[in-house]
Amino acid sequence: MADNATAPRTVPFLGRLGRHHRVPVHALEEAGAEAGGRVIRLDMGPFRPYLVTHPDHVEHVLTVRQPNYVRAGMFWDPLAPLLGESILSDGENWADSRRILQPLFTARHVNAMAENMARIMDELIETTVVPGRPFDVTEGMGALVHPVIVRLFFGAKISMADIDRLAPAYDVAVTAKALRLVLPFVPHQVPLPGDRAFRRAIRTIDEVVYPCIARARHEEGDDVISRLVRARADDGGDRRIRDDLVAMHGASTETTSTAMSWVWPTLQAHPEIAAKVYEEVDRVVGDEPVGIAHLPHLRYLKMFVSELLRVYPPGWLLPRRTVEADVVGGVGVEAGSTVILSPYLTHRLPEFWDRPATFDPGRFAPGGDARRHRYAYWPFAAGPHVCLGQHLFALKAPLLIAGILRRYRPHVHLDRPIVPRLASTLRPPHGLTMTLEKR
Ligand code: HEM
């Protein structure tokens, strides 16, 4: 350990997980509150990850010393068969993918796709929503988010039938590993529930994606798959293209539909906030199809979405593995250990957030950013691995919410408190249903 470093405080965590087995997120919340912004170690028996929450320390790990904190170990290793050598890996493979993909997701490029996206979204809402019929909130949002992203990525190179096969396979792939996420020290040779479903889901994904790559080799296009095929004409082969497509697909659909699932229970829980959102959508959009021209005027909706990502950041847990020993916030961190970052916890630190438990879009009123630590709010991560999809999400979320609200009023069927569920993203509970009533 470096001379200037102190040993971290270790807090018992397995017992906490047991006590909160229904809502493991609460175990983490408790530990975060106990840490009070200091780097601590979570004692899970043989596995003792460091927990980093303070914005200065987040900056250190994600930006200042980023190459020392790689995507490996907890969470990443179990998902490796899904994500392969892609934009969601690290080191040279990651840098290579980032160089190819980044230009496709700049604000300029995304704006150019936006009108098309608005049209597809409006048609989907029109054709998929059955007024008055209850549906599962997460599935319903997936059904609106997933086809739009798939069309942007694959253009016309994928059939509707294949789109319908991809969505459930993805859902299984990211939720089946929930147990390994909380039991990361169980060796891979020891089967856990969910492992078989995970392998089956990967087979389905491969059966859909590889033929699309083959088609893209023979057809022109401006979609993500065509660009990947052109960029990797001479290197890497189909496997690397498949890895990037699968990683991009996972990074975009799951996070976006999870975020959209929180919209409805949150509006219902805060009628005064909902009234402001409804008033704004009525005033700005009226009964026209929502288009890009409306977006700059949906100011309160934008603030609402920012607050939604503060309270329910879909990418709630970012684990990294240290390459070399380091000192974070005065605490010595050993080489090869797991460091867990969580925007969910940073977004609740009372030192940086007034009334952190209160849902208040007003915090994101224009000018508010200037008073905040840059790393107090990071739903899209930060540093070299910062989310590529921020601009896409900033357009897509209001298009979807306003597109629904101009036609319908949501009613969520609540029979218990809404608490997050454990998956690789922060999801609403299983079986939460809602209806959309015609206005
Ligand atoms: C609410 C929506 C979204 C949230 C909260 C979100 C959040 C995040 C977070 C936290 C990371 C960092 C993960 C890590 O380093 O461990 C990330 C990375 C990434 N996101 Fe998003 N994301 C969202 C939507 C999207 C969309 C729509 C796309 C589609 C383009 C996308 C593409 C990516 C990619 C490619 C990366 C990896 C970047 C890299 O490592 O270089 N995301 N996202």
Side-chain angles (χ1 to χ4, degrees), residues 62 71 75-76 86-90 94-95 97-98 101-102 105 110 149 153 244 247-260 305 309 312-320 343 378-394 396-397:
L62 289 182
R71 287 168 165 162
F75 175 81
W76 296 108
S86 68
I87 182 88
L88 285 177
S89 65
D90 231 313
W94 161 76
S97 295
R98 180 106 192 171
L101 289 167
Q102 185 150 336
F105 294 97
V110 170
I149 294 200
F153 285 7
D244 271 331
M248 292 289 302
H249 188 263
S252 54
T253 52
E254 169 67 12
T255 44
T256 308
S257 39
T258 301
M260 291 302 96
V305 170
L309 296 185
Y312 305 112
W316 65 293
L317 206 64
L318 269 65
R320 297 290 195 256
W378 52 281
F380 296 103
H385 282 302
V386 69
C387 177
L388 267 187
Q390 283 183 78
H391 301 300
L392 189 59
F393 180 78
K396 197 165 169 190

Side-chain angles (χ1 to χ4, degrees), residues 13-35:
F13 196 64
L14 271 184
R16 273 204 180 113
L17 267 181
R19 266 200 315 285
H20 293 291
H21 68 280
R22 283 181 190 285
V23 192
V25 176
H26 287 171
L28 196 75
E29 237 172 88
E30 239 179 56
E34 200 175 324

Side-chain angles (χ1 to χ4, degrees), residues 47-275:
F47 179 60
R48 292 190 301 141
Y50 294 83
L51 181 67
V52 168
T53 55
H54 191 287
D56 287 346
H57 308 161
V58 172
E59 179 171 16
H60 178 94
V61 171
L62 289 182
T63 304
V64 180
R65 293 270 288 143
Q66 185 273 325
N68 194 46
Y69 294 88
V70 292
R71 287 168 165 162
M74 174 188 182
F75 175 81
W76 296 108
D77 289 355
L79 287 181
L82 179 68
L83 304 174
E85 295 174 345
S86 68
I87 182 88
L88 285 177
S89 65
D90 231 313
E92 267 175 43
N93 288 330
W94 161 76
D96 195 33
S97 295
R98 180 106 192 171
R99 186 180 44 75
I100 294 172
L101 289 167
Q102 185 150 336
L104 302 185
F105 294 97
T106 56
R108 194 175 58 82
H109 202 88
V110 170
N111 287 345
M113 301 193 274
E115 227 30 276
N116 189 23
M117 184 158 73
R119 199 182 36 74
I120 301 177
M121 180 71 80
D122 200 68
E123 277 171 22
L124 257 180
I125 295 172
E126 190 65 46
T127 51
T128 47
V129 172
V130 181
R133 190 166 80 190
F135 62 90
D136 179 282
V137 176
T138 312
E139 278 174 25
M141 290 305 109
L144 293 175
V145 164
H146 186 259
V148 180
I149 294 200
V150 172
R151 280 282 171 244
L152 291 179
F153 285 7
F154 292 86
K157 297 178 186 69
I158 187 166
S159 67
M160 267 323 280
D162 276 349
I163 292 182
D164 290 344
R165 284 180 78 201
L166 264 191
Y170 247 106
D171 202 54
V172 169
V174 293
T175 47
K177 287 290 172 179
L179 255 187
R180 290 224 180 259
L181 194 67
V182 277
L183 301 172
F185 41 84
V186 176
H188 291 278
Q189 301 85 301
V190 179
L192 285 177
D195 286 356
R196 271 196 29 218
F198 181 72
R199 282 196 299 274
R200 252 197 329 268
I202 291 191
R203 246 195 332 270
T204 305
I205 291 169
D206 286 350
E207 281 167 17
V208 172
V209 172
Y210 278 117
C212 289
I213 298 172
R215 277 194 288 280
R217 291 212 182 276
H218 299 106
E219 293 169 22
E220 276 299 298
D222 206 24
D223 40 61
V224 174
I225 192 169
S226 303
R227 284 168 173 257
L228 277 173
V229 163
R230 284 201 292 275
R232 292 199 185 277
D234 345 292
D235 79 287
D238 286 5
R239 173 74 205 197
R240 292 291 300 275
I241 296 171
R242 172 264 183 222
D243 288 352
D244 271 331
L245 281 168
V246 168
M248 292 289 302
H249 188 263
S252 54
T253 52
E254 169 67 12
T255 44
T256 308
S257 39
T258 301
M260 291 302 96
S261 305
W262 286 107
V263 169
W264 318 104
T266 306
L267 285 175
Q268 183 148 313
H270 303 280
E272 65 306 336
I273 294 172

